[in-house]
Amino acid sequence: MGGPLARLIHNGRDGPQLLRRGRAVRRTVNPERLFEEFPAPSYRGAQQQALRDIRDAFAAGNDVVLVRAPTGSGKSLLARAVAGCARRAGEGDPSDATGAYYTTPQVSQLDDVAADDLLADLNVIRGKSNYTCILPDERDTPVNQAPCVRERGYDCSVKHRCPYFSDRAIASNREIAAMTLAYFMQTAGSDVFRKRDVVVVDEAHGLAEWAEMYATIQLGPRTVPFWDELRVPEVDSVERAVRYADNLAGTCERRKDELLAQETLSAADVRERDRLQELIGELEWFVSDYRDPQSPTTWLVDQSKPHGRDDSADDADDPAGGPLTIKPMNPEKYLQHTVWDRGNKFALLSATILNKAAFCRQVGLEPERVALVDVEHTFPVENRPLYDVTQGKMTYEHRDETTPKIARTIVRLMAHHPDEKGLIHAHSYDIQERLADLLADFGVGERIRTHDRDGRDAALEAWKASDEPDVFLSVKMEEALDLKGDLCRWQVLCKAPFLNTGDSRVAHRLEEGQWAWYYRTTLRTVIQACGRVVRAPDDYGATYLADSSLVDLFDRARTDMPDWFEAQVDRMQQPDLPTFEPQTALGDRSATGSSRRGASTSESTAGGRSSRSSSQSGRSRRSSRSSPLADVWDTDE
């Protein structure tokens, strides 16, 4: 993120600030073209009415239109129609912004767009690391490490055919350029991707959180190339962190200059140079923003202990510190430069923008210049039932007692769905390990699949491709997962996905009494998860709630529920499940067979996370931890 951050220092305060100041502009987007720009041959569900409402919202002069469209309503098609309404070349002055950007935080969502024939004119561009050099001796080299970035003055003979520069040229010159939100923000201030008339952000509900994440600065062994050479002070205030960041930026600048002075760099040198450039931009942005009295950003600093240091180690003059995490809150200035300055008009689409005023406040928009369009949910509520199978709380103090009960419930659900695939939202790897061990002990491991951090995508695709009615124990797959039809017919939410109260940003907001935000953020994730298994009006899938805190959440956050989800909650009931008989849960499979995870042994396999012994030791370590809020709120990852 070094590029946009570094440029923000010089340009951020002088940008248009259109959305914050409410300055009047002449109409740009042409909403009358919405219907002709809709890419599908016919409408389904509430799409036609949604287009009417979006047209009216833009025609009324709103700068931003929030489109709250439920899962399966065709948000990408609506997004394409809005993008097609952007001002075209020749429709205004030569200096006027034209064309549109389509962006989404989710890589998988961009992949879906790229594969959709109806969206073929969304010209996709990705970061350099996603492309491979085409030079004969560099076929395995990503473009960001190719000779053109390793050698000073290198004149590439095939640059015109380079897959990255070719895609970039196409995207920058066509009416609609599509990219991830990370790439979009990184290109802020770019001469290639300049301001356009319309910006469409899909899956926009987490825009504030994504901005906070992108603007967070991690200083440690994995992010600072020469970390071991540094003496890191003990940072006891944000002011101390600013002084250290200022000094570190100068050190990084000198190191980068040494690399730039070399004629040829190795691939490792290139990675270090690029990381240093990125780091310099991050540090300078932090120092500049903190010292700007007009900036609305609040900064927090967390510091870990240095490796090998115990609690008694101390230096009276300058105690040594460990890795630092510098976090922004309310990054309005960051969003102003990286998003709001990039277009004249905006469409933000999501199923879970639950509270317009709160969302606008988080992302730095003036609510009076923002319209909310609600798209009707056309999936029959009886096709997307919620079931109460709660077994108790899944917080630390109760997890040892509740997890075995949930595991037994999963066995009963497997027997209830003997021929259908199931998805278990485990919430954390700790819960995933516990459940996998227990299910193996119960003898149903043959039907269980898991994943680890590095192999999650491969494990997911293997499970989706299988014709077997396997059950997938997943972690952090509540969003951007399309399990239509027989890919999955039932799912279990094992834990209310409350944010980690040990995170300084979360703790800071709760200290300020922002409990409504806390419940709303959790509800948003639950609604996203519930939408994974029902993807069309004729699709169906059941969602089972196993953590009693989920029912409590629905009571606390009911005022922020969309009507269509409230209807699901109101219909929730307890299912009539078979008795606990593991053999029945396996169907035609042999209970003595080996599982994909190695569930009948203590060894892990390609699909598994870890051995039984390691998860048990982790369990005993974690069970001793406590938090003043742990009886209600979550404190783990």
Side-chain angles (χ1 to χ4, degrees), residues 502-538:
D503 181 276
S504 57
R505 272 188 296 238
V506 177
H508 183 85
R509 288 189 169 105
L510 294 185
E511 287 171 2
E512 294 183 336
Q514 297 184 35
W515 292 98
W517 162 83
Y518 191 62
Y519 298 130
R520 186 166 52 246
T521 303
T522 307
L523 177 64
R524 189 180 72 195
T525 303
V526 171
I527 295 175
Q528 288 284 338
C530 290
R532 295 312 97 207
V533 298
V534 183
R535 310 296 296 181
D538 58 349

Side-chain angles (χ1 to χ4, degrees), residues 420-432:
E420 295 175 327
K421 289 183 175 181
L423 177 69
I424 312 298
H425 294 282
H427 182 71
S428 71
Y429 285 103
D430 171 61
I431 297 173
Q432 182 204 54

Side-chain angles (χ1 to χ4, degrees), residues 8-74:
L8 177 53
I9 293 166
H10 303 293
N11 302 336
R13 299 179 202 153
D14 300 325
Q17 302 288 315
L18 164 68
L19 300 166
R20 290 297 296 167
R21 297 180 186 171
R23 183 189 305 166
V25 296
R26 62 192 179 90
R27 183 174 298 170
T28 56
V29 63
N30 183 355
E32 297 302 324
R33 286 206 300 255
L34 266 170
F35 294 95
E36 67 184 73
E37 290 294 328
F38 187 74
S42 61
Y43 303 110
R44 61 180 174 84
Q47 289 174 337
Q48 190 170 20
Q49 183 60 48
L51 290 175
R52 293 192 190 102
D53 293 341
I54 294 170
R55 176 196 61 193
D56 294 345
F58 276 121
N62 292 289
D63 294 323
V64 181
V65 177
L66 309 181
V67 182
R68 187 160 59 188
T71 299
S73 54

Side-chain angles (χ1 to χ4, degrees), residues 442-570:
F442 293 151
V444 298
E446 173 69 7
R447 200 176 157 190
I448 301 298
R449 292 175 182 248
T450 66
H451 67 86
D452 57 18
R453 287 178 174 84
D454 297 326
R456 53 184 282 130
D457 291 342
L460 173 64
E461 292 306 314
W463 171 66
K464 290 168 62 176
S466 172
D467 293 329
E468 299 292 337
D470 290 342
V471 179
F472 192 51
L473 301 187
S474 72
V475 179
K476 305 298 184 187
M477 292 190 180
E478 296 91 349
E479 298 189 33
L481 182 59
D482 185 350
L483 299 176
K484 57 188 175 184
D486 291 335
L487 286 177
C488 187
R489 290 296 182 188
W490 59 280
Q491 61 180 346
V492 181
L493 272 64
C494 291
K495 187 181 183 311
F498 289 111
L499 295 175
N500 181 1
T501 56
D503 181 276
S504 57
R505 272 188 296 238
V506 177
H508 183 85
R509 288 189 169 105
L510 294 185
E511 287 171 2
E512 294 183 336
Q514 297 184 35
W515 292 98
W517 162 83
Y518 191 62
Y519 298 130
R520 186 166 52 246
T521 303
T522 307
L523 177 64
R524 189 180 72 195
T525 303
V526 171
I527 295 175
Q528 288 284 338
C530 290
R532 295 312 97 207
V533 298
V534 183
R535 310 296 296 181
D538 58 349
D539 200 358
Y540 61 90
T543 298
Y544 299 91
L545 310 180
D547 180 1
S548 59
S549 294
L550 288 163
V551 179
D552 180 63
L553 169 70
F554 292 160
D555 290 337
R556 294 177 181 273
R558 183 169 283 265
T559 56
D560 284 319
M561 279 185 190
D563 292 344
W564 55 267
F565 188 74
E566 189 173 12
Q568 286 179 257
V569 173
D570 289 342

Side-chain angles (χ1 to χ4, degrees), residues 5 40 90 125 185 339 401 459 502 580 593 623 627:
L5 293 176
I125 176 65
M185 288 179 164
V339 178
E401 177 185 356
F580 178 77
S623 64
S627 163

Side-chain angles (χ1 to χ4, degrees), residues 87-105:
R87 181 168 47 202
R88 298 167 181 169
E91 291 183 344
D93 297 333
S95 60
D96 287 338
T98 60
Y101 288 115
Y102 169 90
T103 182
T104 173

Side-chain angles (χ1 to χ4, degrees), residues 268-536:
D269 290 336
V270 168
R271 288 192 296 270
E272 180 176 353
R273 179 202 63 193
D274 292 347
R275 175 57 195 144
L276 288 171
Q277 182 60 52
E278 180 181 38
L279 185 57
I280 291 165
E282 293 173 348
L283 295 169
E284 290 180 345
W285 150 248
F286 166 51
V287 172
S288 173
D289 184 82
Y290 180 79
R291 292 175 176 170
D292 177 5
Q294 303 302 315
S295 174
T297 312
T298 297
W299 290 93
L300 303 174
V301 179
D302 295 330
Q303 185 170 36
S304 305
K305 291 180 180 178
H307 293 298
R309 178 193 173 197
D310 59 32
D311 292 335
S312 62
D314 195 10
D315 183 321
D317 295 327
D318 189 11
L324 291 170
T325 302
I326 304 170
K327 304 175 181 180
M329 296 184 65
N330 311 113
E332 297 176 17
K333 186 174 172 183
Y334 180 85
L335 280 169
Q336 183 68 48
H337 176 68
T338 59
V339 178
W340 309 131
D341 286 353
R342 308 288 298 280
N344 293 321
K345 300 288 184 178
F346 297 81
L348 311 181
L349 300 93
S350 171
T352 50
I353 297 177
L354 302 182
N355 184 300
K356 173 190 168 183
F359 178 83
C360 291
R361 192 164 54 245
Q362 283 183 295
V363 299
L365 297 176
E366 296 289 354
E368 62 270 20
R369 301 189 68 81
V370 178
L372 175 63
V373 169
D374 261 316
V375 180
E376 180 186 359
H377 203 320
T378 58
F379 297 3
V381 67
E382 57 269 20
N383 288 11
R384 42 188 172 92
L386 298 178
Y387 291 107
D388 181 351
V389 294
T390 54
Q391 300 299 310
K393 292 183 177 181
M394 280 294 284
T395 48
Y396 277 118
E397 278 71 11
H398 300 90
R399 191 170 300 176
D400 286 343
E401 177 185 356
T402 307
T403 305
K405 297 178 183 178
I406 291 179
R408 291 176 67 88
T409 302
I410 291 172
V411 173
R412 297 174 67 192
L413 288 169
M414 292 169 68
H416 190 57
H417 298 274
D419 302 317
E420 295 175 327
K421 289 183 175 181
L423 177 69
I424 312 298
H425 294 282
H427 182 71
S428 71
Y429 285 103
D430 171 61
I431 297 173
Q432 182 204 54
E433 290 174 2
R434 292 173 184 239
L435 289 174
D437 286 342
L438 289 163
L439 294 169
D441 290 342
F442 293 151
V444 298
E446 173 69 7
R447 200 176 157 190
I448 301 298
R449 292 175 182 248
T450 66
H451 67 86
D452 57 18
R453 287 178 174 84
D454 297 326
R456 53 184 282 130
D457 291 342
L460 173 64
E461 292 306 314
W463 171 66
K464 290 168 62 176
S466 172
D467 293 329
E468 299 292 337
D470 290 342
V471 179
F472 192 51
L473 301 187
S474 72
V475 179
K476 305 298 184 187
M477 292 190 180
E478 296 91 349
E479 298 189 33
L481 182 59
D482 185 350
L483 299 176
K484 57 188 175 184
D486 291 335
L487 286 177
C488 187
R489 290 296 182 188
W490 59 280
Q491 61 180 346
V492 181
L493 272 64
C494 291
K495 187 181 183 311
F498 289 111
L499 295 175
N500 181 1
T501 56
D503 181 276
S504 57
R505 272 188 296 238
V506 177
H508 183 85
R509 288 189 169 105
L510 294 185
E511 287 171 2
E512 294 183 336
Q514 297 184 35
W515 292 98
W517 162 83
Y518 191 62
Y519 298 130
R520 186 166 52 246
T521 303
T522 307
L523 177 64
R524 189 180 72 195
T525 303
V526 171
I527 295 175
Q528 288 284 338
C530 290
R532 295 312 97 207
V533 298
V534 183
R535 310 296 296 181

